[in-house]
Amino acid sequence: MKTTLLLILGMLSFSSFADTSAIERFLYDGTQEVQDIHLTTEKTRTEYRTVRVPATCYRTEYRRTCHRQPPVCRRVCNRRGICQNRCTPGGTVCRNTPVRVPYSCWRNETRSYQVHDYYVETNVQINLLNEDTSNLPREEFRMKMTGERSSFTVKGSSNYFIFLDKKHRRERMQAGVKYVDLIYNVRLVSAADAKNVLGNGIQGVKLRNGILNFKLGAGFNTSDFTQKIRIYRNRRLGRDPLLLTKILTMNEMNMQTVNNESVMAVDLRNLGINLPSKMRVILNTDYQINEDRLMNKGQIKTSASTNWVFR
């Protein structure tokens, strides 16, 4: 009987279910401007019930225990310095000792479970705009609904920055079904410039006679990129104090394109500080892009940095 009851309770605990999910993927190859998707899911709600479950309880019992105590002697001396041993005879000592005794019992337990709330019918319209008409993209998008929660993601080719410009949602309830209409506006921008300039990072860093030289990939410009420099006085011990931090302008950089590289030269003596004999120089090159609306954030390199100590 006990085994049967445990089996029933186990079936009840595993019979709960959560919101269902539906997923649809599509490959955008530049030939379609609109992608329509329909997904059906189920929304659930949490309810609670109290069940009796087997448990182990404890009670305290007292049991009489005995042990043999040996004689105890001590040496006692009087005022005249006469000493003698005085002993307390040993014997058997008994007492009542508390003991925790386990036994089978039942306890009430509150458990959550999911019940059907309503069905969700979702219609999705995805408007796609490729600003780079010279190439055909191959970007894999994924639309997922879990209950009434939406998730729109992309597994990009790293050839485009993919922006989610706008998202619209409208919903209505009718006869136990929630109808959800979603509209996404997606824009693709070529990432070729960022990859060309930042792909290999900052290389060839040298300092000679106050002239700092370094290299980036071909195509660097101050319209699409920022070039930040920080100069510290270098100490062997302790923290290096900061002397200068600024975004360099094109007038402060001498740039030439050589062998498909942007070769940069910066005269640090013209930056308004006294150059220390030992210095730390940190360079940061960043592609100017609004990452707040970027769907494939982190999939394409948008910055490069380097940290050099000159002594």
Side-chain angles (χ1 to χ4, degrees):
M1 178 65 180
K2 183 177 180 181
T3 302
T4 303
L5 183 57
L6 287 172
L7 181 61
I8 294 173
L9 290 173
M11 293 175 63
L12 287 174
S13 64
F14 287 103
S15 63
S16 62
F17 56 93
D19 296 346
T20 62
S21 296
I23 300 174
E24 184 167 330
R25 295 176 174 85
F26 70 93
L27 183 67
Y28 174 59
D29 60 5
T31 60
Q32 68 270 44
E33 295 182 353
V34 179
Q35 181 74 32
D36 294 317
I37 296 174
H38 179 79
L39 299 172
T40 300
T41 53
E42 183 180 2
K43 183 73 177 67
T44 62
R45 67 177 184 273
T46 302
E47 294 188 356
Y48 299 89
R49 57 170 162 246
T50 301
V51 297
R52 284 175 58 82
V53 297
T56 300
C57 299
Y58 293 88
R59 64 174 178 266
T60 300
E61 295 182 355
Y62 288 88
R63 296 177 181 175
R64 190 167 182 80
T65 59
C66 300
H67 67 277
R68 186 74 181 174
Q69 181 172 298
V72 178
C73 298
R74 61 190 180 93
R75 193 163 181 78
V76 179
C77 300
N78 60 21
R79 293 181 179 179
R80 293 179 293 175
I82 299 174
C83 300
Q84 61 180 356
N85 292 332
R86 293 183 181 178
C87 298
T88 301
T92 301
V93 178
C94 298
R95 64 176 180 175
N96 291 328
T97 304
V99 178
R100 294 185 72 205
V101 179
Y103 65 94
S104 297
C105 61
W106 296 88
R107 63 181 174 85
N108 292 332
E109 183 177 284
T110 300
R111 293 183 176 178
S112 63
Y113 65 102
Q114 304 295 312
V115 297
H116 170 78
D117 200 354
Y118 49 84
Y119 290 104
V120 181
E121 298 289 340
T122 304
N123 291 302
V124 186
Q125 177 183 312
I126 303 169
N127 302 315
L128 299 146
L129 173 62
N130 179 19
E131 294 188 356
D132 181 16
T133 57
S134 61
N135 295 295
L136 293 180
R138 292 187 63 82
E139 312 297 323
E140 182 181 323
F141 291 89
R142 187 188 78 155
M143 184 67 214
K144 178 180 179 181
M145 290 293 295
T146 300
E148 61 184 12
R149 301 187 306 275
S150 62
S151 173
F152 184 44
T153 58
V154 62
K155 183 179 179 182
S157 65
S158 298
N159 293 324
Y160 294 86
F161 291 111
I162 303 176
F163 295 93
L164 181 59
D165 285 335
K166 287 185 179 180
K167 173 184 175 181
H168 302 277
R169 181 185 178 109
R170 184 179 62 184
E171 55 187 48
R172 66 188 186 279
M173 199 76 181
Q174 182 178 345
V177 178
K178 176 174 280 191
Y179 295 92
V180 179
D181 296 321
L182 294 172
I183 300 176
Y184 295 96
N185 294 330
V186 177
R187 179 169 52 94
L188 281 72
V189 178
S190 174
D193 291 343
K195 294 174 67 174
N196 290 339
V197 173
L198 302 172
N200 295 323
I202 302 173
Q203 298 185 344
V205 181
K206 297 177 182 179
L207 178 65
R208 182 177 298 173
N209 298 326
I211 307 297
L212 180 70
N213 296 275
F214 60 95
K215 299 177 182 178
L216 293 162
F220 176 87
N221 61 81
T222 53
S223 297
D224 298 321
F225 298 87
T226 58
Q227 182 59 60
K228 183 178 181 181
I229 186 171
R230 284 174 285 173
I231 300 177
Y232 299 81
R233 176 178 288 108
N234 181 243
R235 294 175 175 174
R236 291 188 179 273
L237 298 176
R239 190 173 183 178
D240 293 346
L242 178 64
L243 303 178
L244 173 74
T245 178
K246 71 170 305 183
I247 303 296
L248 296 174
T249 65
M250 210 58 178
N251 293 332
E252 294 169 324
M253 295 181 286
N254 182 5
M255 188 190 77
Q256 297 180 353
T257 301
V258 180
N259 296 329
N260 204 30
E261 291 180 321
S262 297
V263 180
M264 321 289 287
V266 181
D267 192 341
L268 303 184
R269 296 167 298 185
N270 295 332
L271 298 183
I273 62 170
N274 294 322
L275 297 179
S277 58
K278 301 174 182 178
M279 72 178 78
R280 178 186 299 276
V281 177
I282 299 177
L283 297 171
N284 296 92
T285 310
D286 295 290
Y287 184 65
Q288 299 187 62
I289 187 172
N290 183 1
E291 294 190 350
D292 293 340
R293 295 179 287 112
L294 196 60
M295 295 185 65
N296 56 341
K297 184 177 180 179
Q299 296 180 12
I300 305 173
K301 191 174 183 179
T302 58
S303 64
S305 65
T306 189
N307 186 338
W308 284 78
V309 175
F310 300 98
R311 293 175 177 170

